[in-house]
Amino acid sequence: RMLLNSRVFRELINARMEAARTAAEDARRQQLQLTIALLALALLATVAVAVVGRRLRGIITEANLRRRDAVRARWEIDAVLEATGDGVLGVDLDGRLLTINATGSRLLGYGEEEARGRSLHDLLHAVAPDDQRHDPEDCPILAVLREEGGAESVDDLVWHRRGRRVPVRWALRPLMDGRVVRGAVLTLTDMTAVREAEEALREAVRAREETLAVVSHDLRNPLGSIAASAELLQEVSLGPDKMRMQLGFIQRAADRGNRLIDDLLDVSRIDAGVLAVRPARCAVGPLVDEAVAAVASRAMERSLDLHARVPADLPDLWADRDRMLQVLGNLLGNALRHTPQGGRIDVEAALANDDDGVRLAVRDTGPGIPEEDQAHLFDRFWRRDRADRSGAGLG
């Protein structure tokens, strides 16, 4: 019986050991499976982290590229805005300045920092004179801005902060954020040079028309005198004295025509910047004597008392003698035309006030030139009396 119990006990122990081995095997198998699963999860996590990291690096790289592109685009836009010849102003819907480029700053006289946030109307019109100022409600640019539309003007005025008026051409375009209007972009084109060119062109046209009028009228008089005297000489037998008188008429008429042509040519040379002036040393006395001698016969015809007073101790001039004769001839010709018969004309020379030159003067007993007309003395073709065609207005 003891042997039986011993065998049963061993079998029981063996069974328990087998069960323990089986349980251990199951535990090892489960542990292995769990380890494999954990390794798989870790591997998957590693792969996921790698994928996410790579994606993040791609996102960061793309963001950096976009940021650099945005910065580069901003630089390019700023460079274009700074280089453009037009003033470019960004404004919000309330009409207040957001940004202004360098040209706009020069045009209006305000720096970007001091202009930002100010009313557009104040920037453009604050310093305008009272008679040219209008209320913000009447500002055409703000009116377009309130309608959130676009418009442009061919001819308008804005004002530099120092009070200088600036003719401009402006264009206003809405600033869109998708489909929402956030403000507007105003461009100002300085038309000063264009207006000056237009005025110069109009002045050139007026000068051309006046030149044609002067030439057609003033040349007709001497040509008519020449034709009448020549016709008289051909058709009528005249004595020597009358013949010389008619020839004198022809000579003087030809001289008047030549003087007009010379004046017109000089005006053209002055405009072209090629008027020749060749200074040299010349004595004052002989210069004045020659100028007086050239008009002496005309003065005698009109019973004018013509005198020249030149001190003997005057220094020589450094001047273009021919041009000086031309100037004196113009002054004397004017005196001859406007001094009443029997009047007096004096040509005087004296040291200048600073003793550094010679002062030449032509004085006459004519009516003179009123002070209000003296500003026009150097205007081409100007005459105080438009009906007076005795001169070309070019002297």
Side-chain angles (χ1 to χ4, degrees):
R1 181 179 295 179
M2 289 180 63
L3 291 173
L4 178 62
N5 288 333
S6 178
R7 190 171 55 252
V8 171
F9 181 73
R10 285 196 298 272
E11 289 178 354
L12 181 60
I13 291 175
N14 290 335
R16 292 289 180 88
M17 291 178 65
E18 185 63 29
R21 280 195 300 272
T22 302
E25 288 292 334
D26 290 341
R28 284 195 299 272
R29 189 166 45 252
Q30 290 176 0
Q31 186 178 9
L32 179 61
Q33 291 174 352
L34 182 60
T35 301
I36 293 173
L38 290 175
L39 289 174
L41 287 174
L43 181 61
L44 288 175
T46 302
V47 172
V49 169
V51 171
V52 172
R54 184 175 180 181
R55 179 59 181 162
L56 285 175
R57 284 195 300 272
I59 292 173
I60 293 172
T61 301
E62 185 177 356
N64 289 333
L65 289 174
R66 289 183 177 179
R67 184 168 61 253
R68 284 198 297 269
D69 290 343
V71 172
R72 186 182 299 111
R74 177 60 185 269
W75 286 346
E76 291 173 353
I77 292 173
D78 289 344
V80 170
L81 290 178
E82 294 305 311
T84 183
D86 293 343
V88 181
L89 291 72
V91 295
D92 61 19
L93 291 177
D94 294 327
R96 298 195 174 277
L97 188 83
L98 299 174
T99 182
I100 184 172
N101 70 341
T103 302
S105 294
R106 289 193 298 270
L107 197 67
L108 301 177
Y110 296 94
E112 183 175 4
E113 292 300 325
E114 60 180 331
R116 186 180 291 117
R118 295 188 58 173
S119 167
L120 180 64
H121 178 75
D122 289 343
L123 291 174
L124 300 182
H125 306 293
V127 298
D130 292 338
D131 60 341
Q132 299 188 39
R133 187 179 301 172
H134 54 262
D135 295 330
E137 292 76 13
D138 300 325
C139 180
I141 298 177
L142 293 183
V144 175
L145 183 61
R146 286 191 291 267
E147 297 173 359
E148 298 184 359
E152 62 182 38
S153 170
V154 176
D155 190 12
D156 206 342
L157 284 176
V158 298
W159 296 85
H160 189 277
R161 70 184 303 177
R162 295 183 178 177
R164 175 172 55 87
R165 52 185 286 167
V166 183
V168 297
R169 175 178 182 175
W170 59 263
L172 188 72
R173 295 292 181 266
L175 183 62
M176 306 295 296
D177 182 5
R179 295 186 178 181
V180 180
V181 180
R182 298 296 186 187
V185 175
L186 175 68
T187 58
L188 300 174
T189 303
D190 188 351
M191 302 295 288
T192 302
V194 175
R195 297 291 177 262
E196 290 175 352
E198 290 176 350
E199 181 58 31
L201 180 60
R202 286 192 290 269
E203 185 63 30
V205 171
R206 285 195 296 269
R208 183 195 64 185
E209 292 174 350
E210 290 176 346
T211 301
L212 292 175
V214 168
V215 171
S216 62
H217 185 281
D218 289 7
L219 275 183
R220 186 178 293 117
N221 289 337
L223 289 176
S225 298
I226 292 172
S229 296
E231 184 177 357
L232 182 63
L233 289 175
Q234 285 182 334
E235 295 180 356
V236 179
S237 296
L238 300 175
D241 292 339
K242 291 187 176 181
M243 181 176 293
R244 278 194 298 272
M245 183 177 66
Q246 293 300 320
L247 291 174
F249 288 156
I250 293 175
Q251 182 63 52
R252 286 190 293 274
D255 290 342
R256 288 199 301 274
N258 283 330
R259 281 196 300 273
L260 175 60
I261 293 172
D262 288 341
D263 285 343
L264 291 172
L265 290 175
D266 279 344
V267 168
S268 299
R269 294 187 187 107
I270 291 171
D271 286 342
V274 295
L275 182 70
V277 177
R278 300 180 178 87
R281 186 175 299 279
C282 61
V284 180
L287 176 71
V288 172
D289 290 342
E290 184 174 346
V292 170
V295 298
S297 60
R298 294 167 59 193
M300 189 178 301
E301 290 175 1
R302 303 198 60 227
S303 300
L304 297 176
D305 193 6
L306 178 62
H307 292 275
R309 291 198 294 270
V310 180
D313 57 348
L314 286 179
D316 290 344
L317 299 178
W318 180 257
D320 186 322
R321 194 172 191 279
D322 291 336
R323 293 300 179 191
M324 291 299 298
L325 286 172
Q326 185 180 14
V327 171
L328 289 173
N330 283 331
L331 293 173
L332 286 168
N334 187 74
L336 287 169
R337 286 192 298 272
H338 297 289
T339 301
Q341 189 168 2
R344 180 183 177 92
I345 299 174
D346 292 312
V347 183
E348 302 172 351
L351 282 175
N353 293 334
D354 56 3
D355 294 333
D356 189 25
V358 174
R359 181 175 181 270
L360 298 172
V362 176
R363 305 179 187 276
D364 60 62
T365 56
I369 302 173
E371 185 176 352
E372 63 270 17
D373 292 331
Q374 291 177 12
H376 299 289
L377 282 178
F378 294 97
D379 292 349
R380 294 177 185 175
F381 307 108
W382 180 84
R383 299 179 182 85
R384 182 170 180 269
D385 183 3
R386 289 291 180 179
D388 179 13
R389 308 298 296 193
S390 59
L394 291 176

